[in-house]
Structure formats: C-alpha cells, structure tokens
Amino acid sequence: MKVKNDRLEALRLIISSQQLGSQEELLQALQREGFKLTQATLSRDLKQLKVAKAATMGGNYVYVLPNDALYKRVSNNTSIREMMQMQGFVSINFSGNMAVIKTHTGYASALAWNIDRSNLPQILGTVAGGDTIFLVIKEGVSHQEVIEALNKAMPGRQSNN
C-alpha cells in the first residue's frame, strides 16, 4: 500500500506543479520519479484522485486536482475558508447580479467547485474559465450580502468592488 500512496502523492505533486495534458506525459513524469505503472493503473489513480482537465489561457487542456486549488499534501476537500487563503484567489468585482472572481491561471475550476460545494444561498451558481469565475447572484441579494457571506466562510478575503 505504501507504493500506491507514494505514487498518488507523486501524482498530486506532478499535477499541481506541471501543465500536462495527456496520460502519456503523466506516465513519463511518474517514470522520471521512479514509478513504473501501466496506463490502466494511471487511469484508476486519476479517477481515485478525481482529477479533471481544465483549459489553460492558451486553450490547451491540462490535468488539475479538482478539490485543492493548491496542493497542500492533504487529500481532504478544501473548505471555502481555506480556498480564499490560497494563492490562486486574486480579486472579486460586481456588476448587477453578477460577480467576477479573478484567479491565477489554472485555479478557477477548483475554486468554483469549492464555491458550488459550499451551497451559499446568495450564489445561484458559477461558471469557470482558466483564470476567471463568473458568479450569478440570487435576485434581491446585495453585493455587500455576498461579500459578508463569503467573508464569514472565508476570513481574510479582500474584495475589489
């Protein structure tokens, strides 16, 4: 079991630190780290880690860890409180019943997933790109209410509104 845990740990580190878009690239990166495995084993590992593909600014798709915007050597889901303390978050701005969260490139999907998972009643949903999250705010909810809801869940977050 130690070999599998070590391999999963290495896979998390590789995905969080490199922009790789194919299983062949992942296999090569793992082999450079001393792991010998088949494509079938890699597929099972990716499924277990709930790895997804996200678009980069250049339009390519790369593997990302959907439950951790920045890999922190844990396999727990990231709480919204932890999410906003991560380096991926840049700013939030409002226009009408919409908000746009800017992130560092590649972080938007994971951050949006965490927002959706938090079930904040003020936010109807999110759409994520490479470095931007679009939020739809429930009708009748003020921007300040959204900020307060996010601040309760994410202390230390700074908004640019």
Side-chain angles (χ1 to χ4, degrees):
M1 196 62 159
K2 183 177 182 341
V3 171
K4 181 177 181 179
N5 289 337
D6 289 347
R7 185 179 70 241
L8 292 175
E9 179 81 3
L11 187 55
R12 285 184 192 105
L13 286 169
I14 289 166
I15 290 170
S16 67
S17 64
Q18 300 176 37
Q19 291 193 353
L20 302 175
S22 72
Q23 287 192 8
E24 182 60 34
E25 291 174 320
L26 285 173
L27 280 172
Q28 291 172 2
L30 284 165
Q31 288 174 352
R32 285 191 296 272
E33 297 299 323
F35 295 94
K36 304 275 188 238
L37 64 150
T38 65
Q39 185 275 328
T41 299
L42 176 60
S43 289
R44 286 189 293 273
D45 288 350
L46 293 172
K47 184 175 181 178
Q48 180 178 343
L49 294 174
K50 297 181 174 128
V51 171
K53 278 194 165 181
T56 66
M57 291 301 289
N60 298 321
Y61 284 85
V62 297
Y63 289 101
V64 295
L65 297 169
N67 61 345
D68 280 316
L70 280 179
Y71 178 58
K72 295 173 134 187
R73 292 189 177 267
V74 295
S75 57
N76 304 4
N77 289 335
T78 302
S79 72
I80 200 161
R81 185 179 316 263
E82 294 167 321
M83 175 190 72
M84 296 309 287
Q85 295 171 354
M86 294 179 178
Q87 292 176 352
F89 178 81
V90 175
S91 67
I92 183 170
N93 290 284
F94 295 91
S95 178
N97 73 326
M98 301 173 287
V100 174
I101 294 177
K102 296 300 284 179
T103 71
H104 294 293
T105 302
Y107 292 98
S109 292
L111 294 176
W113 184 84
N114 280 301
I115 291 169
D116 289 338
R117 188 178 60 98
S118 296
N119 294 316
L120 296 174
Q122 298 85 351
I123 299 172
L124 296 176
T126 65
V127 177
D131 67 351
T132 304
I133 303 168
F134 173 74
L135 301 175
V136 177
I137 301 166
K138 187 175 182 179
E139 190 171 336
V141 173
S142 72
H143 300 166
Q144 189 58 41
E145 288 175 282
V146 173
I147 290 170
E148 288 171 9
L150 292 172
N151 280 337
K152 283 180 185 172
M154 309 171 249
R157 185 193 57 75
Q158 298 295 317
S159 63
N160 299 338
N161 54 329

